[in-house]
Amino acid sequence: MTPARPGPAEVYRSRVVQEERESGSLAPVASRSASSRGRLHAEEEHPFRTAFQRDRDRVVHSRAFRRLQYKTQVFVHHEGDHYRNRLTHTLEGAQITRTVARVLGLNEDLAEAIGLAHDLGHTPFGHAGERVLAEMLSSSGGFDHNRQCLRVVDLLEQRQVEYRGLNLSDETREGILKHGCHWTHPVRLPELLDQRSLEGQVADASDEIAYLNHDLDDGLRAGILHFGMLESLPLLRDLVGEVQENQPSASESVQRAWIVRAMIDHWVTDLIATSTRRIEADGLDSPEAVRRNARRVVGLSDEVDGARREIKAFLFDHFYNHPAVLDRTQRAEVVVEDLFRLFTDDPSRLPPEVRERFSEEGEERAIADYVAGMTDRFALAEHQKNLDSAAGIDP
Ligand code: MG
């Protein structure tokens, strides 16, 4: 007689088995899913997914996550098929996050959930849209993409009849709030101590490593930046020299990939070594000790951080503020401002579900939530439809 099939609770890697493995294999400073601080709304545990795995899955299945595909990173996405958008940026950042979390013995599922969620609050057209909404709402609470991210996961996604939001764990919600919380949030906030978890700190550092490198790559690909311009940056000058010496026959695109790969590897290696040293130096032995520590411990060494700052300043000067990029940015600002004013002046143009939120959230906040949620192409289409004017950005 064949034995009965095991029930979900008995399968090899059921949640309980995975939680036990976490407690045996992760570093003492790692967050453990079995000791999660809980969710806004109590839920039964899942038979074979841990709390943080469920968070990651909920983020990936959200509407806001799918919309990242049509939101700009630096370029308007129609510019070419190989440039990053918010979705590919998010995936590149999450991939670095997982590598670092795994090497440091942290909770990879939590780090990944935070990494995948971190840009859900971005407006259409990148920081251009954010600047406009911050200005429009300056006297009524302001606007910031981190705050908006928490609004998306706590209030704006609708997956259940009983409550709004994705009902993520407090650990993932804490990780989303990069700079604390200085505004009114309609539901209970996660507990915020001096620092965030190491998983949150890793997601943050990895996000920056991802975007500086892929923006450099995109800037070079677009021909706005050239190898010759990198001479002023010692780290990049050395890498360009190295690749041209070792791979002289390689095409420019292969050389570019080589440089970006070498730079990510250099930074990630330094991030892991420096963070490990600081965790030991500060005597951190639990997630609570991390969150009560005087300093954040995940970061680059002073030397590598100096190079990072130089490269960031270089990208601001020569890429983010390049006339071709600024021109599109300014056109995008006009689109977002026009839409915000249009809906404020004539709310009848809004979908009914947005108007229904007026009494609860206030008119301006509900409109800002709606405009912030738009993809670039939806914003352009709404602009064209309602104002009958071309924004000068190719749809
Ligand atoms: Mg990001």
Side-chain angles (χ1 to χ4, degrees):
M1 216 170 100
T2 47
R5 284 170 63 125
E10 297 149 278
V11 293
Y12 186 48
R13 291 187 184 189
S14 69
R15 173 182 50 82
V16 176
V17 172
Q18 293 188 65
E19 288 174 351
E20 281 164 8
R21 283 188 184 180
E22 280 186 5
S23 73
S25 67
L26 297 183
V29 284
S31 304
R32 282 165 169 76
S33 48
S35 353
S36 169
R37 298 190 292 281
R39 304 176 186 277
L40 283 170
H41 310 278
E43 279 185 39
E44 289 277 321
E45 293 292 346
H46 193 273
F48 53 85
R49 290 182 300 156
T50 67
F52 303 146
Q53 288 168 0
R54 284 177 107 179
D55 284 358
R56 178 201 56 205
D57 299 350
R58 286 174 190 192
V59 169
V60 170
H61 287 277
S62 69
R63 287 198 323 164
F65 188 75
R66 290 194 292 279
R67 288 200 298 250
L68 294 176
Q69 185 177 3
Y70 299 107
K71 292 195 177 199
T72 297
Q73 183 63 25
V74 176
F75 288 89
V76 173
H77 78 272
H78 315 91
E79 191 74 11
D81 288 349
H82 295 134
Y83 295 103
R84 272 73 173 189
N85 56 47
R86 285 265 162 224
L87 181 64
T88 60
H89 156 68
T90 295
L91 296 174
E92 288 185 32
Q95 175 264 314
I96 295 174
T97 298
R98 284 182 48 167
T99 300
V100 177
R102 190 179 306 163
V103 174
L104 292 178
L106 303 179
N107 197 309
E108 217 175 303
D109 298 320
L110 173 60
E112 190 183 15
I114 296 168
L116 292 173
H118 87 283
D119 268 356
L120 294 179
H122 266 290
T123 59
F125 313 115
H127 290 285
E130 182 177 16
R131 271 195 299 276
V132 171
L133 289 181
E135 204 182 301
M136 299 284 109
L137 290 149
S138 57
S139 58
S140 44
F143 184 92
D144 158 286
H145 73 265
N146 282 132
R147 168 197 196 160
Q148 194 62 19
C149 186
L150 196 68
R151 291 183 64 79
V152 168
V153 301
D154 281 356
L155 307 165
L156 301 176
E157 284 287 322
Q158 182 86 52
R159 315 276 298 173
Q160 303 280 345
V161 181
E162 299 84 12
Y163 52 78
R164 294 183 347 187
L166 300 175
N167 202 28
L168 301 183
S169 72
D170 276 18
E171 285 78 3
T172 301
R173 297 169 67 231
E174 177 215 61
I176 286 171
L177 288 174
K178 272 195 205 173
H179 313 290
C181 185
H182 320 285
W183 55 79
T184 345
H185 189 62
V187 295
R188 175 181 65 74
L189 284 167
E191 177 191 46
L192 299 169
L193 302 182
D194 300 321
Q195 310 296 337
R196 295 181 304 152
S197 65
L198 288 183
E199 288 82 359
Q201 295 182 32
V202 166
D204 207 4
S206 304
D207 171 41
E208 189 169 23
I209 292 178
Y211 83 72
L212 290 177
N213 280 285
H214 66 51
D215 288 351
L216 177 74
D217 189 29
D218 280 352
L220 289 165
R221 183 193 314 277
I224 291 178
L225 305 176
H226 306 279
F227 284 167
M229 296 165 74
L230 310 180
E231 282 290 309
S232 61
L233 302 157
L235 171 63
L236 281 165
R237 185 187 56 218
D238 291 352
L239 290 175
V240 172
E242 241 175 84
V243 72
Q244 289 179 341
E245 195 180 309
N246 297 325
Q247 316 267 338
S249 57
S251 66
E252 196 174 306
S253 98
V254 168
Q255 291 191 348
R256 197 171 65 227
W258 190 95
I259 290 166
V260 169
R261 191 172 60 234
M263 203 157 79
I264 293 177
D265 196 46
H266 177 67
W267 285 1
V268 169
T269 304
D270 183 79
L271 182 74
I272 291 167
T274 308
S275 308
T276 307
R277 267 200 310 277
R278 290 181 188 155
I279 291 167
E280 282 169 16
D282 290 8
L284 303 179
D285 57 2
S286 69
E288 290 66 39
V290 169
R291 295 170 67 232
R292 293 185 190 282
N293 200 36
R295 63 169 177 172
R296 56 181 297 160
V297 288
V298 174
L300 298 169
S301 63
D302 290 346
E303 189 197 337
V304 176
D305 199 50
R308 177 199 60 83
R309 277 201 302 269
E310 278 177 12
I311 291 171
K312 190 171 179 172
F314 170 85
L315 286 172
F316 268 96
D317 290 347
H318 300 283
F319 185 39
Y320 306 138
N321 288 325
H322 185 276
V325 175
L326 276 187
D327 178 58
R328 278 190 289 270
T329 304
Q330 281 153 5
R331 289 167 200 258
E333 285 177 353
V334 172
V335 171
V336 176
E337 184 170 344
D338 282 353
L339 287 176
F340 186 84
R341 289 191 192 284
L342 170 84
F343 295 129
T344 318
D345 292 346
D346 182 6
S348 73
R349 291 176 189 257
L350 287 161
E353 63 272 20
V354 178
R355 288 198 304 270
E356 277 162 22
R357 297 183 52 246
F358 280 8
S359 57
E360 214 174 315
E361 302 278 4
E363 205 172 309
E364 285 189 318
R365 185 60 56 191
I367 293 172
D369 285 340
Y370 179 57
V371 174
M374 291 179 179
T375 62
D376 295 5
R377 60 180 190 174
F378 185 76
L380 288 172
E382 282 291 288
H383 193 260
Q384 176 81 50
K385 184 176 91 189
N386 287 289
L387 293 147
D388 198 27
S389 75
I393 305 172
D394 294 338

